[in-house]
Amino acid sequence: MAPLRWGIASAGNISHDFTNALATWPKEDHKVVAVGARNLQNAKKFAKTHNIPKSYEGYMEMAKDPEIDVVYIGAVNPTHYDIGLMMLNHGKHVLCEKPLCMNEGQSKRLIAHAEQKKLFLMEAIWSRFFPSYIHLKNRLDAGELGDIEEVTVTFGFYLSDVDRLRMKELGGGTVLDLGVYTIQVCLWAFRDGPTKIVAKGKLNEEGVDMEVEAELHFPNGGIAKMKTSALKKLDNEATIKGTKGAITLHDFWCPVSLTDVDGSVKKFPLPKAPNNFIFQNSCGLRYESEEVRKCIGSGRLESASVSHRESLLIARIQDEIRKQIGVQFPEDAKFKA
């Protein structure tokens, strides 16, 4: 099989880490052929760092490039929908950074468009492809935790001065940035949508959330308790408790270790990459890229681990939490679910 040929949309930090993680796979499997950025100099600099042959100003030229199979969208949240549509319209498969879109209404339209075009689309919830998440899933499948009763998860760092998080025009707030992770781990454990959501939060002067506490109530009577914060560092662990035992994922959004049902700590080390990473354990982005390659290679339009249905469910939960705490974006009026 020929290598999967990637285009990278945006030359920011997460795109750097993703491209660096891609380089840990054999060249016969993954190949980055182009990068696009709003500023051509940034694209050229990025291309030089990663030995990418082509750099484009903006994204349209990349969308038209016949040598690209799939595009990774690492741009800011409010641009995901438009860039996603552009790439799909030009026959490109898409891996889009989370959140997939600003709300459920946009996500529904983007997914419907990908399905109509018969192209692969996945929200980049990289956590689910880590070996530790696969290990947890196998334990859950085997019934080794029993019936799931509770998930507790916290995710917080001092981020209140980071533009993408504090500014409304960049689609800020912890629900869209950190909440995707806490919600997805709860759904991974309960394997169902919540029947009730109760949330409270603290907003900044821009009207986006800097801290959120939410409870998700599930049909089996189980409860997930999650907290996100841009005001302080939290313990950043997820504990899944069942009637027979518990598993804790350490650094749960990118876990290279977990405490298993029997109390032992299991480690899943990451390989070395050509360049340094900006964010923690970013080499783990390699796992989602390989999932994309396998799905596209076998003609699947979505991944079983981050299905379209699941992305819509996550978006719906995010919308409900935002509604309860009073965070609104311009897209909410324009794109109704």
Side-chain angles (χ1 to χ4, degrees):
M1 204 167 96
L4 186 64
R5 300 170 302 174
W6 291 85
I8 308 293
S10 171
N13 290 346
I14 191 63
S15 293
H16 165 85
D17 279 6
F18 180 79
T19 306
N20 197 27
L22 267 180
T24 63
W25 293 115
K27 298 248 185 307
E28 303 80 57
D29 292 345
H30 295 272
K31 186 178 171 188
V32 181
V33 295
V35 57
R38 281 173 306 175
N39 177 310
L40 185 60
Q41 286 316 111
N42 289 349
K44 283 183 169 170
K45 189 178 164 194
F46 189 98
K48 192 178 175 190
T49 301
H50 295 283
N51 298 314
I52 301 168
K54 289 183 271 193
S55 39
Y56 292 118
E57 184 167 15
Y59 306 115
M60 184 52 86
E61 292 310 308
M62 197 162 74
K64 290 176 179 171
D65 187 334
E67 291 180 356
I68 296 170
D69 302 313
V70 57
V71 171
Y72 168 80
I73 301 173
V76 291
N77 297 346
T79 65
H80 289 183
Y81 179 69
D82 288 337
I83 298 173
L85 280 181
M86 182 194 297
M87 296 307 162
L88 293 168
N89 281 334
H90 288 84
K92 306 288 184 262
H93 302 290
V94 172
L95 173 65
C96 181
E97 254 322 319
K98 45 84 210 141
L100 183 60
C101 292
M102 290 298 290
N103 58 19
E104 190 192 357
Q106 273 193 339
S107 299
K108 267 186 174 169
R109 287 164 178 81
L110 190 65
I111 285 169
H113 199 62
E115 288 173 350
Q116 182 205 336
K117 295 273 185 189
K118 297 194 167 32
L119 290 164
F120 177 85
L121 169 68
M122 187 176 92
E123 183 177 8
I125 300 180
W126 64 313
S127 313
R128 291 190 165 184
F129 303 100
F130 272 74
S132 40
Y133 269 75
I134 309 299
H135 179 89
L136 169 61
K137 183 178 185 298
N138 292 339
R139 286 276 194 256
L140 292 166
D141 287 349
E144 290 175 41
L145 276 74
D147 297 326
I148 303 306
E149 297 179 314
E150 186 182 70
V151 174
T152 51
V153 56
T154 63
F155 199 13
F157 289 102
Y158 183 73
L159 297 164
S160 55
D161 56 350
V162 175
D163 286 350
R164 71 177 161 80
L165 221 125
R166 73 178 179 84
M167 291 172 69
K168 181 170 263 194
E169 67 183 62
L170 296 181
T174 67
V175 172
L176 291 189
D177 196 89
L178 306 174
V180 182
Y181 289 110
T182 57
I183 292 164
Q184 67 80 24
V185 78
C186 298
L187 300 181
W188 192 244
F190 279 106
R191 303 176 172 203
D192 212 338
T195 50
K196 186 171 89 164
I197 298 167
V198 185
K200 58 181 183 178
K202 289 180 190 167
L203 312 189
N204 68 4
E205 65 288 346
E206 289 245 340
V208 296
D209 53 290
M210 290 290 101
E211 208 158 67
V212 172
E213 287 183 59
E215 275 190 4
L216 311 182
H217 295 249
F218 289 87
N220 72 342
I223 297 177
K225 297 171 182 177
M226 50 179 255
K227 181 173 183 175
T228 56
S229 179
L231 304 176
K232 56 180 173 284
K233 189 176 190 299
L234 301 176
D235 67 12
N236 300 336
E237 291 186 337
T239 299
I240 294 92
K241 290 180 188 157
T243 48
K244 291 184 188 172
I247 286 181
T248 297
L249 299 169
H250 308 294
D251 296 324
F252 82 97
W253 77 104
C254 57
V256 291
S257 72
L258 58 81
T259 301
D260 214 343
V261 187
D262 61 2
S264 67
V265 174
K266 298 219 167 24
K267 289 183 163 47
F268 307 87
L270 290 161
K272 284 268 179 280
N275 293 295
N276 290 329
F277 288 100
I278 293 161
F279 301 115
Q280 184 177 342
N281 294 345
S282 271
C283 196
L285 290 161
R286 68 197 300 271
Y287 300 121
E288 68 177 2
S289 66
E290 181 62 2
E291 172 73 3
V292 172
R293 186 180 76 91
K294 286 175 177 169
C295 287
I296 291 172
S298 58
R300 292 199 297 264
L301 301 184
E302 58 184 309
S303 164
S305 295
V306 187
S307 66
H308 293 167
R309 182 185 157 275
E310 190 91 346
S311 284
L312 290 175
L313 179 55
I314 291 167
R316 194 173 312 139
I317 294 167
Q318 287 173 317
D319 286 1
E320 177 58 28
I321 291 172
R322 287 197 297 109
K323 188 176 160 191
Q324 288 189 26
I325 63 178
V327 175
Q328 278 190 315
F329 293 111
E331 290 85 355
D332 295 331
K334 196 176 167 191
F335 296 92
K336 300 279 190 204

